[in-house]
Amino acid sequence: MILASIEAGGTKFIASVGDEQIRIIDTLTVPTTKPEETMKPIIAFFNQYSIDAIGVGSFGPIDVNRNSETYGYITSTPKPFWKDFNFVGSLKTHFDVPIAWTTDVNAAGYAEYILGNAKGTQSCLYLTVGTGIGGGFINQGRMLNAYSHPEMGHLLIRRHPNDMYVGNCPFHKDCLEGMASGPAVEKRWGKKGIKLAERFEVWELEAYYLAQALVSYTLVLRPERIILGGGIMKQKQIFQLIRQQFGQLLNDYVAVLDLERYIQPVGLNDQAGIIGGFLLARKELTD
Amino acid sequence: MILASIEAGGTKFIASVGDEQIRIIDTLTVPTTKPEETMKPIIAFFNQYSIDAIGVGSFGPIDVNRNSETYGYITSTPKPFWKDFNFVGSLKTHFDVPIAWTTDVNAAGYAEYILGNAKGTQSCLYLTVGTGIGGGFINQGRMLNAYSHPEMGHLLIRRHPNDMYVGNCPFHKDCLEGMASGPAVEKRWGKKGIKLAERFEVWELEAYYLAQALVSYTLVLRPERIILGGGIMKQKQIFQLIRQQFGQLLNDYVAVLDLERYIQPVGLNDQAGIIGGFLLARKELTD
Ligand SMILES: Nc1ncnc2c1ncn2[C@@H]1O[C@H](COP(=O)(O)OP(=O)(O)O)[C@@H](O)[C@H]1O
Ligand SMILES: Nc1ncnc2c1ncn2[C@@H]1O[C@H](COP(=O)(O)OP(=O)(O)O)[C@@H](O)[C@H]1O
Ligand SMILES: [Zn+2]
Ligand SMILES: [Zn+2]
């Protein structure tokens, strides 16, 4: 069984070919320019193999509703050229194989659920905190998608009384993404996150916002585990700060596992997206 | 087919017997005192019929995890006598029939989804705003339960800058329930909700809090429809206020149906809980 996986991000696409054991055979990285330009080398790359199924995790918003006329499309993205791109359709014209289609965060979350730090649980919330903030929820092997996929990065949160930063979300100004994404950290403190590692107050405030959001997700979704990924979460000291503030805010209102186990970093590092694509491709063949 | 349904509330239990068309044959109401005292007349009532299945929607928190040793129990409720009551077990000793077991809000939400104002949709968030605030989410016919059932009434929200009320949640003070439940309205304004019908500022503020919560639920769950029930929502003027503030807050970030259709009152009035119990009992027999 030869599986193909695409992690379609806003700055680059990663395409990999692997086997049914999810061992990577080959990988290609292409910058995200225009749909035809970006897809062409990927299609040529996949054509070298006899592919049985493809799994795609894409930046969004995307249409994941199988009954919709625009299923498989990137929909209302502000990214030039990509709005209304028929992603699955463009693959289908070249590969007559099952194609799994979901968001980048759903794919990464699924990988963490099956093989990463949520392995062995029944449900997992995956949140990435990077250029944007996005999340996916997997419950008993199924990704949560209803009218559409979650957009949980834009949760409304309480500002810290001493925080004067206005927030940079173009839709909501001071939503979670507007206050706690990588670019928000950079604009508030005047330096990139990686350069702020020693500044305790930076991560204390970041934890203040993330802990609030995790309490809300916990109350609504009741995951067995929460996995946090993305560039900002490379500051490992933040995990303890989040757990502390989370514990205070939740105040034992609902039962969760002890917080060391409940709130964890990624287990698959930057490979979660690609591995998720393989797993979802394999699932298309075996379900 | 004879179906039994129990709506187990904090002040009273309603027990009904009905047929497979969900037509109610007979109903009994019993005050919520102690488990044995409350259950005894209900068991005698059901024993008059040849019951094929029972559906229970109970106040919580309850254990809904079928693999758990305490499945079917009311768990950590502060309500005297009811903590650790084996609800399903106590029914099983009298009735050797399938028993559906869920929260009161899940049952009511399921009824709205199948027969009420969310009929014909694929997913529905149901929120009750009464003595407490609680919610349930149904997606493609399945109720969302992961590590446990949702407790979404305690969402953290932003206080209104002019609102001096401290909030009455014993766990979080000014969470949604602490600021917007019936008792919170009464304590803030000094009168019961029903006596405040003419005071515009009461419902404008109430809508301010509920709209925030609905935005968060929308981003996390992406329901096709939201149904609002409970005593507070009998103030029908509040729906337009919620829709207005919801629209401003969400700012078209994600697609929802037009707000008249998206945010609606209950279709089954006070019967949603009992009807949900019947529907879930019937589902046990037919699935
Ligand atoms: N080690 C780090 N410490 C703090 N912030 C980081 C670190 N690495 C990346 N970031 C920040 O995370 C953001 C990028 O997130 P990342 O998840 O790597 O990519 P993307 O979200 O674009 O896929 C940037 O704002 C960057 O400044
Ligand atoms: N018509 C009404 N207008 C405003 N508030 C009401 C109305 N009816 C009931 N309430 C309030 O709703 C709460 C009771 O909620 P309800 O859903 O009826 O019961 P419960 O939540 O206890 O099952 C009380 O705080 C009550 O004051
Ligand atoms: Zn936003
Ligand atoms: Zn609370």
Side-chain angles (χ1 to χ4, degrees), chain A residues 61 67 76 122-123 137 139-140 142-159 169-172 174-177 211-213 215-224 248-257, chain B residues 61 67 76 122-123 137 139-140 142-159 169-172 174-177 211-213 215-224 248-257:
Chain A
N67 302 320
S76 58
Q122 293 302 304
S123 55
F137 179 62
N139 188 18
Q140 293 171 326
R142 295 156 64 108
M143 296 175 292
L144 172 64
N145 295 300
Y147 188 64
S148 186
H149 55 81
E151 288 283 1
M152 55 179 102
H154 291 259
L155 211 69
L156 304 175
I157 39 82
R158 298 173 178 173
R159 348 177 104 251
C169 173
F171 293 90
H172 317 109
D174 59 0
C175 68
L176 179 68
E177 181 170 301
Q212 274 188 53
V215 166
S216 293
Y217 303 143
T218 296
L219 295 171
V220 177
L221 297 170
R222 304 299 306 276
E224 185 173 342
Q248 282 169 22
L249 282 171
L250 188 64
N251 199 15
D252 287 329
Y253 176 63
V254 298
V256 295
L257 298 178
Chain B
N67 302 319
S76 59
Q122 293 302 305
S123 57
F137 178 62
N139 188 19
Q140 292 171 325
R142 296 156 62 109
M143 295 176 292
L144 172 64
N145 295 299
Y147 188 64
S148 187
H149 54 80
E151 287 283 2
M152 56 178 101
H154 292 258
L155 210 68
L156 304 175
I157 38 83
R158 299 173 176 171
R159 346 176 107 253
C169 173
F171 293 89
H172 318 109
D174 58 1
C175 68
L176 179 67
E177 181 169 302
Q212 274 189 53
V215 166
S216 293
Y217 302 143
T218 295
L219 295 171
V220 177
L221 298 170
R222 304 298 307 275
E224 184 173 344
Q248 282 168 20
L249 284 170
L250 187 64
N251 198 17
D252 286 330
Y253 177 63
V254 297
V256 295
L257 298 178

Side-chain angles (χ1 to χ4, degrees), chain A residues 7 9-12 104 128-133 181-186 191-197 203 229-235 270:
Chain A
E7 185 183 346
T11 52
K12 64 178 189 289
D104 44 5
T128 179
V129 188
T131 305
I133 301 184
S181 64
V185 170
E186 187 177 342
K191 280 184 199 167
K192 282 197 184 302
I194 196 164
K195 297 263 169 71
L196 294 161
W203 309 110
I232 287 285
M233 302 314 298
K234 290 183 178 160
Q235 297 296 325
D270 295 339

Side-chain angles (χ1 to χ4, degrees), chain A:
Chain A
M1 190 191 288
I2 301 287
L3 302 171
S5 173
I6 301 176
E7 185 183 346
T11 52
K12 64 178 189 289
F13 276 36
I14 303 171
S16 287
V17 172
D19 67 12
E20 71 270 32
Q21 310 270 289
I22 319 296
R23 287 176 301 219
I24 294 178
I25 295 168
D26 202 356
T27 293
L28 177 77
T29 301
V30 185
T32 310
T33 56
K34 295 183 187 176
E36 321 79 60
E37 234 172 62
T38 302
M39 295 303 284
K40 206 174 165 190
I42 292 176
I43 288 159
F45 170 68
F46 285 165
N47 261 328
Q48 299 171 275
Y49 300 88
S50 168
I51 279 165
D52 296 300
I54 308 175
V56 183
S58 175
F59 72 90
I62 67 175
D63 189 339
V64 292
N65 176 356
R66 287 194 190 258
N67 302 320
S68 158
E69 295 211 338
T70 53
Y71 173 78
Y73 283 56
I74 295 178
T75 56
S76 58
T77 178
K79 215 178 155 50
F81 311 113
W82 291 87
K83 186 169 168 359
D84 301 326
F85 172 53
N86 183 355
F87 202 135
V88 172
S90 94
L91 288 170
K92 280 267 177 215
T93 62
H94 296 277
F95 305 99
D96 185 22
V97 299
I99 301 178
W101 166 248
T102 194
T103 61
D104 44 5
V105 281
N106 270 347
Y110 190 73
E112 288 291 334
Y113 175 79
I114 300 285
L115 295 174
N117 274 347
K119 190 174 161 180
T121 68
Q122 293 302 304
S123 55
C124 156
L125 170 71
Y126 172 81
L127 196 76
T128 179
V129 188
T131 305
I133 301 184
F137 179 62
I138 294 94
N139 188 18
Q140 293 171 326
R142 295 156 64 108
M143 296 175 292
L144 172 64
N145 295 300
Y147 188 64
S148 186
H149 55 81
E151 288 283 1
M152 55 179 102
H154 291 259
L155 211 69
L156 304 175
I157 39 82
R158 298 173 178 173
R159 348 177 104 251
H160 192 285
N162 300 337
D163 185 7
M164 292 299 125
Y165 181 56
V166 287
N168 68 347
C169 173
F171 293 90
H172 317 109
K173 277 231 159 75
D174 59 0
C175 68
L176 179 68
E177 181 170 301
M179 297 301 271
S181 64
V185 170
E186 187 177 342
K187 280 189 198 129
R188 180 188 290 109
W189 302 99
K191 280 184 199 167
K192 282 197 184 302
I194 196 164
K195 297 263 169 71
L196 294 161
E198 311 302 321
R199 301 264 305 267
F200 177 76
E201 68 274 29
V202 171
W203 309 110
E204 180 81 357
L205 185 66
E206 184 70 8
Y208 174 85
Y209 291 122
L210 291 174
Q212 274 188 53
L214 299 192
V215 166
S216 293
Y217 303 143
T218 296
L219 295 171
V220 177
L221 297 170
R222 304 299 306 276
E224 185 173 342
R225 181 151 303 163
I226 293 176
I227 304 286
L228 300 175
I232 287 285
M233 302 314 298
K234 290 183 178 160
Q235 297 296 325
K236 290 290 179 242
Q237 73 277 22
I238 204 180
F239 280 88
Q240 264 327 96
L241 301 173
I242 292 173
R243 291 186 190 110
Q244 274 163 19
Q245 301 210 38
F246 178 93
Q248 282 169 22
L249 282 171
L250 188 64
N251 199 15
D252 287 329
Y253 176 63
V254 298
V256 295
L257 298 178
D258 71 271
L259 298 184
E260 294 282 331
R261 279 160 76 207
Y262 186 55
I263 299 174
Q264 291 199 30
V266 290
L268 303 171
N269 296 315
D270 295 339
Q271 295 212 294
I274 279 294
I275 293 175
F278 285 137
L279 292 168
L280 291 167
R282 189 174 69 181
K283 197 164 185 270
E284 287 288 317
L285 292 172
T286 54
D287 266 14

